[in-house]
Amino acid sequence: MPYRSHIFAAAVSAVFCQSVGATEVTDQRGQSLSFDKPAARAIFLPMPAASTYMAINRSEHGIAGMNASSAVAMRDGILGKLFPGYAKIATNITLGAGTAANVESILALRPDAVFQWAAAGDDALAPLERTGLKVLGMRYGSQEDMAGYIAMMGQVAGKPERAQELVARQETQRRQIEAALAGVASQERPRVLYLARASDTFRVAGKKSYNDFTIRLAGGENIAADTPSSTTVTIEQILTWNPQVVLLGNFDTVMPADLYADPRWQGVEAVRSRKVYRMPLGGYRWDPPSQESALTWIWLADLLHPQRAGIDLRVSMRGWFDFLYGYALSDDEIDTILFAPENRRSAGYDRLLVR
């Protein structure tokens, strides 16, 4: 099957059957649920999910509860400005950090749909399902997984065509980047390390992680590719790997200046060449999969291969924000999303900025 057909098959892995007065939605576990009307009080336990649903709806309405970490990203990023009603959405739906469901709090919100990671397993999903709630499992890891749950969200929201357009736009952008970097030889791919955490431990993204996919798509070599999808490593291992580029994730507070000043990192090529970058924060964090992932790909491809990528990041950001949110970004807002003050001292970043 050609890849373009394959990704759209994945996008509709939630199989939709229309009947009089009802819509059948098959989630990413293969479980079928019937909806008489679009969900009006959906709950999202996975962190990236609420902002994606907002993009599909172009509104914060229809969300009764979301992960507290999702609200933090909205508060610290631009989505809180676009959809200020986010602050009224309940965030007490988990048991502490993570995605374990607080069933009692969720029931009190009277939801008509609950989204949870399918990989959480029956122990996590069954307590919700035993209450009679409609629980939809989402899969995480690949672009195909994301395409599937975007399509599923679109059907639950009553906006399947918009969800399919989002999936199609991402696929078009992916193809454009693949074509631009098709001639990059293996020895020309910089050794890239993504750090989900670096303040108290070093947590990296290995094989079958979304960050691995992003790094490879953007023309890099994930130096942690032989490790599990998420694992903790020592500084000694990082020194052995000697990455040429380091990406700092948005689930931590560490900035490039912290690594530049850390004596332990002075022997790392990425520090010596000033190629440590904090990943942007737009409508959601740009390191995990989201409605803005195409912008992550463009941003990283531009940093790794500025002479080949050939896609204007700032123009792309304006186009994507108009499509996703109906919002016209200012130059100052783009620079804020790109962490201009924090990244300006890193190599090649000035050309992405205007201030």
Side-chain angles (χ1 to χ4, degrees):
M1 178 184 293
Y3 185 76
R4 183 174 296 276
S5 299
H6 176 66
I7 193 167
F8 277 95
V12 293
S13 61
V15 178
F16 310 134
C17 301
Q18 299 288 339
S19 60
V20 177
T23 299
E24 295 295 323
V25 181
T26 302
D27 74 358
Q28 291 182 296
R29 299 172 295 161
Q31 301 292 320
S32 294
L33 297 167
S34 180
F35 289 84
D36 294 330
K37 59 184 178 181
R41 298 186 58 79
I43 284 180
F44 297 91
L45 291 155
M47 296 171 193
S51 63
T52 301
Y53 198 76
M54 287 182 183
I56 292 170
N57 269 329
R58 279 194 173 181
S59 171
E60 69 272 47
H61 302 301
I63 300 178
M66 64 180 171
N67 195 295
S69 180
S70 304
V72 170
M74 294 175 192
R75 180 198 69 199
D76 294 346
I78 196 171
L79 207 66
K81 176 181 178 180
L82 306 188
F83 303 124
Y86 88 94
K88 298 180 180 179
I89 298 173
T91 57
N92 63 336
I93 62 169
T94 63
L95 297 172
T99 62
N102 184 330
V103 178
E104 183 177 351
S105 295
I106 289 173
L107 286 172
L109 294 170
R110 299 175 288 106
D112 44 18
V114 178
F115 289 79
Q116 175 61 298
W117 290 128
D122 290 341
D123 289 344
L125 297 168
L128 290 166
E129 292 178 318
R130 282 198 295 267
T131 67
L133 294 173
K134 294 180 178 180
V135 182
L136 298 112
M138 297 166 49
R139 296 207 177 277
Y140 176 90
S142 70
Q143 179 63 18
E144 291 85 353
D145 289 334
M146 180 168 64
Y149 70 65
I150 287 174
M152 182 169 63
M153 286 181 186
Q155 192 68 9
V156 171
K159 297 185 177 179
E161 294 84 5
R162 177 159 169 78
Q164 291 289 3
E165 184 178 1
L166 172 52
V167 170
R169 282 174 177 253
Q170 288 190 336
E171 172 63 3
T172 297
Q173 197 77 75
R174 174 178 176 164
R175 288 292 191 180
Q176 185 179 4
I177 293 171
E178 287 176 336
L181 302 181
V184 176
S186 59
Q187 64 270 22
E188 297 176 293
R189 290 177 169 265
R191 301 187 306 276
V192 181
L193 177 68
Y194 166 78
L195 287 171
R197 292 195 66 83
S199 56
D200 53 358
T201 189
F202 299 117
R203 192 165 77 237
V204 304
K207 58 186 175 184
K208 297 184 179 180
S209 68
Y210 195 78
N211 307 102
D212 178 69
F213 159 74
T214 298
I215 290 167
R216 288 185 289 104
L217 176 64
E221 173 196 350
N222 179 14
I223 206 165
D226 290 334
T227 68
S229 62
S230 179
T231 192
T232 299
V233 299
T234 63
I235 186 64
E236 289 76 19
Q237 177 62 71
I238 293 172
L239 292 170
T240 299
W241 281 335
N242 193 24
Q244 296 170 299
V245 177
V246 173
L247 307 177
L248 300 174
N250 274 292
F251 294 93
D252 201 11
T253 58
V254 172
M255 294 293 176
D258 297 314
L259 265 60
Y260 294 148
D262 191 330
R264 298 173 299 172
W265 283 81
Q266 299 313 301
V268 174
E269 185 173 345
V271 169
R272 295 198 308 269
S273 60
R274 315 292 288 189
K275 291 186 177 180
V276 179
Y277 306 96
R278 172 68 173 224
M279 297 194 72
L281 170 59
Y284 190 65
R285 304 171 176 100
W286 279 18
D287 25 339
S290 79
Q291 69 279 7
E292 294 179 23
S293 285
L295 294 174
T296 310
W297 310 336
I298 296 168
W299 173 80
L300 186 55
D302 196 291
L303 288 175
L304 300 184
H305 299 284
Q307 305 305 317
R308 300 195 189 197
I311 305 172
D312 190 306
L313 175 63
R314 300 179 77 89
V315 170
S316 298
M317 290 175 69
R318 288 191 166 94
W320 272 95
F321 268 68
D322 179 61
F323 165 67
L324 291 171
Y325 314 116
Y327 184 78
L329 283 171
S330 69
D331 279 330
D332 283 352
E333 287 169 334
I334 291 176
D335 282 357
T336 298
I337 290 168
L338 297 178
F339 283 106
E342 295 82 1
N343 281 324
R344 187 182 292 278
R345 294 175 57 202
S346 295
Y349 216 78
D350 267 349
R351 58 191 168 75
L352 302 181
L353 310 174
V354 296
R355 70 179 188 204

